[in-house]
Amino acid sequence: MFVRWSNLTIAEDERTRLPGYRDDAVVRRFDAPEALDMRFYEIHARSILNRVPAASRMPFRWTINPYRGCSHACTYCFARPTHTYLDFDAGRDFEREIVVKVNAPEVLRVELARPSWKREHVALGTNTDPYQWVEGRYRLMEGIWEALRDAANPCSVLTKSPLLLRDLKLMLAIRERTEFSACLSIPTLDEKAWRETEPHTPSPRARLEAVAELNRAGIPTGVLIAPLMPGINDAPAQVEPLLAAAAEAGATNIAGIALHLRGETRDVFMGWLREARPDLLPRYEQLYKGRAYAPPRERERLARMVGRGAAPGAFWRPRNRAAEARPPGHAQPWPGLEAEQEPEQTALF
């Protein structure tokens, strides 16, 4: 069978077994400055379509995650706890030990062709970024988009990387056959806040340029300002320029989500806070005391700041038709805003 990564080299003939996977994983390293001290575990997945539990408040029921772990190294990433299922830690390992589902496009074709498949909306990028650095080497997303195009299956993508522009022609081909939208996650334009909290992500300005280019090409593309972190990127002087820049880029939706700290993500974020922003530590300990989400009043404050935007669910139109009936500027409540009960967001993974 032809494999798109056959031109890549293995620095060491190393194999290991990961929990939950039947076959050994091939461990690969790349001789590139961006990938130093990183290992990539090539595995063959038995399934690539992930069902989101019905109890979840997410506006979609299916996701695809070609990678586990993420080299972006965002301090706040809510997907960090999922790495512990692989006997990795949620800190350094999440950023440096990346699992690559090398057969994702082929498995997806099989699953989309099943008679039981109802062509439901599929969301990409809801866990780790499908366009993180290593996608430039494995190019899994090309095959995934081709499979979705050939099946005329509604889909969407959320990413922090302008690398998705590489696949613009495939996205346009999907758009011609079915519903398709994109979203760029841009928490801030503030360079200090960006470099401290998202150390290995592309420039926010480059992401805004990608939003503009996608919209010019006819791909409905929005901006997700997430997470909003008190004292870090939530000042009006930081948010207002981003809202204006997103609007100038033609963003079809602009939404904001407050920081939430669940499980091991809390440990990683609070550890970073102690070193980088000890002045904020008492405030966060109070805001997130005994809870994963900030108090409703704090979320209401942040929601008003992005009041001209839409609800996060607006990025997945096929699963959120009710939102279209709301008056302009009227956003859905943020998860957990109307009640203290927290949504089971980890159910996405």
Side-chain angles (χ1 to χ4, degrees):
M1 181 181 69
F2 169 77
V3 286
R4 64 189 62 76
W5 60 92
S6 58
N7 62 319
L8 307 180
T9 59
I10 301 176
E12 301 177 19
D13 186 13
E14 184 180 347
R15 293 177 180 269
T16 190
R17 179 67 60 88
L18 295 177
Y21 294 103
R22 178 180 53 199
D23 302 321
D24 287 349
V26 174
V27 183
R28 194 185 299 274
R29 294 176 174 84
F30 294 110
D31 184 15
E34 302 91 336
L36 292 179
D37 196 32
M38 295 178 66
R39 292 188 294 186
F40 301 91
Y41 297 78
E42 297 178 355
I43 61 95
H44 286 79
R46 284 172 285 183
S47 177
I48 195 65
L49 284 168
N50 308 308
R51 183 192 291 273
V52 179
S56 170
R57 299 183 187 184
M58 293 296 129
F60 46 81
R61 288 290 166 260
W62 297 92
T63 66
I64 293 174
N65 298 301
Y67 304 101
R68 295 186 67 165
C70 187
S71 58
H72 287 340
C74 302
T75 59
Y76 53 75
C77 183
F78 63 82
R80 285 181 177 273
T82 65
H83 231 46
T84 61
Y85 306 155
L86 303 174
D87 288 345
F88 290 133
D89 68 56
R92 179 205 171 277
D93 288 354
F94 180 80
E95 305 164 7
R96 296 292 177 180
E97 312 290 336
I98 311 298
V99 176
V100 183
K101 301 174 185 178
V102 292
N103 63 336
E106 292 78 14
V107 173
L108 178 60
R109 280 192 177 276
V110 172
E111 293 184 318
L112 293 176
R114 289 174 178 164
S116 59
W117 176 247
K118 305 302 182 185
R119 295 181 63 251
E120 294 186 67
H121 184 90
V122 176
L124 290 98
T126 61
N127 183 4
T128 53
D129 200 322
Y131 283 103
Q132 58 181 285
W133 176 84
V134 76
E135 167 60 18
R137 297 298 180 98
Y138 284 94
R139 306 179 75 100
L140 296 179
M141 288 302 298
E142 290 175 317
I144 288 172
W145 291 136
E146 288 169 353
L148 289 164
R149 175 203 62 196
D150 294 346
N153 203 98
C155 52
S156 61
V157 62
L158 171 65
T159 180
K160 293 180 183 290
S161 177
L163 178 59
L164 85 166
L165 292 174
R166 180 200 67 192
D167 299 334
L168 178 56
K169 289 184 179 179
L170 286 168
M171 296 175 189
L172 287 170
I174 295 172
R175 177 74 177 166
E176 289 179 358
R177 303 195 64 187
T178 186
E179 294 172 307
F180 179 82
S181 62
C183 177
L184 273 291
S185 172
I186 312 174
T188 186
L189 296 179
D190 184 288
E191 184 163 354
K192 184 175 185 295
W194 160 51
R195 292 189 181 279
E196 284 186 340
T197 60
E198 298 182 345
H200 300 145
T201 58
S203 157
R205 294 289 179 183
R207 289 179 244 177
L208 278 169
E209 292 171 6
V211 172
E213 185 168 343
L214 286 163
N215 278 307
R216 283 194 298 267
I219 300 294
T221 305
V223 169
L224 184 61
I225 304 175
L228 284 162
M229 298 170 281
I232 297 173
N233 70 334
D234 70 329
Q238 294 170 306
V239 176
E240 284 297 324
L242 177 51
L243 289 171
E248 185 177 353
T252 53
N253 291 289
I254 305 172
I257 301 179
L259 173 71
H260 67 276
L261 299 174
R262 187 188 302 279
E264 291 85 355
T265 298
R266 174 190 292 268
D267 299 333
V268 173
F269 185 83
M270 289 299 192
W272 168 80
L273 211 60
R274 288 186 188 93
E275 293 186 9
R277 294 296 306 272
D279 56 307
L280 291 175
L281 189 58
R283 181 177 179 184
Y284 275 81
E285 288 178 338
Q286 181 62 35
L287 284 173
Y288 292 91
K289 184 178 181 180
R291 65 174 78 227
Y293 286 82
R297 181 174 297 180
E298 180 69 8
R299 288 187 306 228
E300 289 168 0
R301 179 185 72 82
L302 295 172
R304 286 193 297 272
M305 194 173 300
V306 195
R308 76 174 81 167
F315 297 118
W316 296 280
R317 288 291 184 182
R319 302 291 306 178
N320 195 38
R321 294 299 188 188
E324 297 178 355
R326 293 186 176 88
H330 182 83
Q332 285 181 325
W334 287 0
L337 188 61
E338 68 283 357
E340 283 301 295
Q341 183 179 0
E342 295 168 2
E344 187 61 32
Q345 189 151 355
T346 53
L348 278 174
F349 323 122

